Amino acid sequence: MSDAANKVLIVGLGNPDRGDDGIGAQGGRYLQGRLAPDTTVRACRGDVLTLIDDWAGFDALICVDAAAPVEAAGRVHRIDLATDTLPREMSFASSHALGLAEAIDLARTLRLAPRDIVIYAVEGACFDTGAGLTPEVAAAAGPVADRIVEEAERLRLGVQEDTTHA
């Protein structure tokens, strides 16, 4: 661990006007005032390719996005790309022109991806235009934000994740 803090970027992905796809935007509201001043939070409603240049210069990236239902609406999946791969069965149900997985792969190929990338994918149920978050996904927003606050501080300080506890 060095004396300088790592630069952390948190990106909430999705369109708040498309049902559960708005979880990323909702999560950003729950983070306000809870992060170290040098942690950056951004929202992305459209093509995630526009963010690749923004990722350059950051040591760590945390993304919050909606995912197609696999088990249950509101279920949260934490995917640490240092040790995990994006599960094929979990498509990121998005209105983005290019998906998050493809953008990360491209950023890695171009050597523009941050060293540490963690994704919080929340399974959604409704992605209809004009719909709000379903109750299950809305209920997950606060707990996801709590986890992101802890994750951002861990990454900012360069602390390795403790994998010894369940």
Side-chain angles (χ1 to χ4, degrees):
M1 189 162 86
S2 69
D3 293 335
N6 290 317
K7 291 179 63 177
V8 178
L9 173 63
I10 300 168
V11 178
L13 299 160
N15 185 338
D17 298 322
R18 291 192 53 113
D20 292 335
D21 193 39
I23 186 64
Q26 180 71 23
R29 288 191 285 272
Y30 280 91
L31 295 172
Q32 289 180 352
R34 299 180 61 197
L35 299 164
D38 58 350
T39 300
T40 303
V41 179
R42 293 200 178 117
C44 178
R45 290 181 57 143
D47 186 358
V48 293
L49 278 181
T50 61
L51 289 174
I52 290 178
D53 285 335
D54 293 341
W55 296 349
F58 282 93
D59 303 298
L61 171 66
I62 301 171
C63 293
V64 184
D65 201 5
V70 174
E71 295 175 21
R75 184 172 189 282
V76 179
H77 300 266
R78 180 189 176 275
I79 305 161
D80 184 339
L81 295 184
T83 57
D84 304 320
T85 58
L86 289 174
R88 291 200 182 275
E89 71 276 5
M90 179 182 293
S91 71
F92 288 88
S94 78
S95 54
H96 323 306
L98 190 69
L100 178 59
E102 294 88 358
I104 290 171
D105 285 345
L106 179 59
R108 283 179 162 172
T109 299
L110 298 173
R111 298 188 177 172
L112 295 174
R115 177 182 62 243
D116 296 307
I117 300 174
V118 177
I119 300 166
Y120 283 89
V122 182
E123 291 185 36
C126 174
F127 299 92
D128 297 340
T129 301
L133 296 177
T134 59
E136 298 86 357
V137 172
V144 167
D146 293 343
R147 291 171 68 180
I148 290 170
V149 168
E150 292 176 15
E151 188 93 54
E153 189 63 7
R154 179 187 70 78
L155 291 168
R156 194 176 77 78
L157 297 176
V159 176
Q160 294 298 314
E161 181 183 13
D162 180 5
T163 58
T164 60
H165 69 283

